Amino acid sequence: SQQGEEDPQALSIQEGENATMNCSYKTSINNLQWYRQNSGRGLVHLILIRSNEREKHSGRLRVTLDTSKKSSSLLITASRAADTASYFCATDPRNTDKLIFGTGTRLQVFP
Amino acid sequence: DVKVTQSSRYLVKRTGEKVFLECVQDMDHENMFWYRQDPGLGLRLIYFSYDVKMKEKGDIPEGYSVSREKKERFSLILESASTNQTSMYLCASSEGQSETQYFGPGTRLLVL
């Protein structure tokens, strides 16, 4: 089963609205990362949050991490049509030396 | 900026053919990875390499092999392509094994 599970699987919003995506995982981690993928392209790294951090910001992105609940959320504020993409969380479990990706959330932002 | 390039964006091959997918990174990264991406299954790790001539199996290595003769280049080989290997193949590199990964644009492979 997947280490990281994103929720929801798909999300549709209007430009200007905020978009929130969640990621849950199963085992203890060193860090958690969020990536974006435009249709048919490679993934682009957005933000990395370490297990001892609770919140991190980057521009219009805000990521939170709750290690007690084994969950993370990605908030995109004031969304734009260009934010339309799939968003993946990736975890770095403590007992492995690789990243494990979730199945992603497809975000559609309508102009 | 890190640049990861993949030899082809689209590739069509026939069942039984030997297929080479090449990946090159220009940031002197130690670690390189090959994933395949299928709808509903997310990214699955095929092989990774943490040094020249070193390789480690990922979650789904069956039917694949890899080669890393030079630090900047990591090749994925399908010895005898099968239709169930039709997929999007993504290469990535990183400085540390669990740190930020930089991805190439992907190769969409169709095996007929």
Side-chain angles (χ1 to χ4, degrees):
Chain A
S1 60
Q2 295 288 340
Q3 160 75 336
E5 299 274 354
E6 288 94 341
D7 168 58
Q9 288 188 325
L11 181 61
S12 294
I13 58 174
Q14 295 291 133
E15 258 189 336
E17 293 181 339
N18 295 341
T20 300
M21 288 158 268
N22 303 294
C23 172
S24 60
Y25 57 92
K26 294 183 173 65
T27 63
S28 296
I29 60 172
N30 294 312
N31 68 59
L32 185 145
Q33 303 179 39
W34 284 92
Y35 288 80
R36 187 183 79 186
Q37 183 181 34
N38 289 88
S39 181
R41 309 290 298 187
L43 278 70
V44 174
H45 180 257
L46 295 175
I47 201 162
L48 181 153
I49 186 166
R50 301 200 183 276
S51 61
N52 62 353
E53 297 175 306
R54 291 296 166 257
E55 188 170 315
K56 209 161 182 181
H57 296 255
S58 177
R60 293 184 296 112
L61 305 181
R62 174 177 165 250
V63 169
T64 61
L65 179 63
D66 187 335
T67 53
S68 66
K69 294 181 179 178
K70 293 186 169 58
S71 68
S72 173
S73 67
L74 169 67
L75 169 68
I76 304 174
T77 59
S79 62
R80 305 166 183 168
D83 294 328
T84 294
S86 291
Y87 292 82
F88 295 86
C89 69
T91 54
D92 160 31
R94 288 197 179 149
N95 60 343
T96 71
D97 53 7
K98 57 189 180 184
L99 292 183
I100 301 178
F101 288 81
T103 52
T105 292
R106 291 187 311 279
L107 173 66
Q108 175 81 50
V109 181
F110 291 98
Chain B
D1 283 348
V2 176
K3 191 169 182 184
V4 179
T5 57
Q6 294 183 227
S7 49
S8 306
R9 289 298 315 280
Y10 301 95
L11 211 50
V12 180
K13 295 291 181 182
R14 297 217 171 265
T15 301
E17 280 192 79
K18 191 168 186 175
V19 182
F20 293 88
L21 302 182
E22 301 238 307
C23 175
V24 178
Q25 50 97 1
D26 66 357
M27 279 303 291
D28 203 37
H29 284 165
E30 301 285 342
N31 304 281
M32 296 188 75
F33 308 83
W34 274 108
Y35 296 90
R36 65 176 281 176
Q37 184 178 24
D38 301 286
L41 297 177
L43 272 73
R44 292 181 291 167
L45 182 63
I46 304 171
Y47 268 96
F48 64 102
S49 168
Y50 52 86
D51 201 353
V52 176
K53 296 193 187 294
M54 305 300 288
K55 60 184 179 184
E56 293 283 343
K57 291 180 180 179
D59 300 316
I60 51 164
E62 297 79 19
Y64 303 94
S65 62
V66 290
S67 171
R68 188 141 182 229
E69 296 296 319
K70 294 184 177 181
K71 192 174 186 180
E72 68 271 17
R73 190 181 298 269
F74 191 34
S75 301
L76 179 70
I77 302 151
L78 287 65
E79 295 289 341
S80 178
S82 63
T83 54
N84 63 12
Q85 292 178 308
T86 290
S87 187
M88 171 74 135
Y89 290 88
L90 293 163
C91 173
S93 72
S94 70
E95 197 167 328
Q97 285 180 3
S98 302
E99 297 297 316
T100 298
Q101 292 191 8
Y102 297 87
F103 282 81
T107 295
R108 194 170 292 279
L109 173 66
L110 172 62
V111 182
L112 299 174

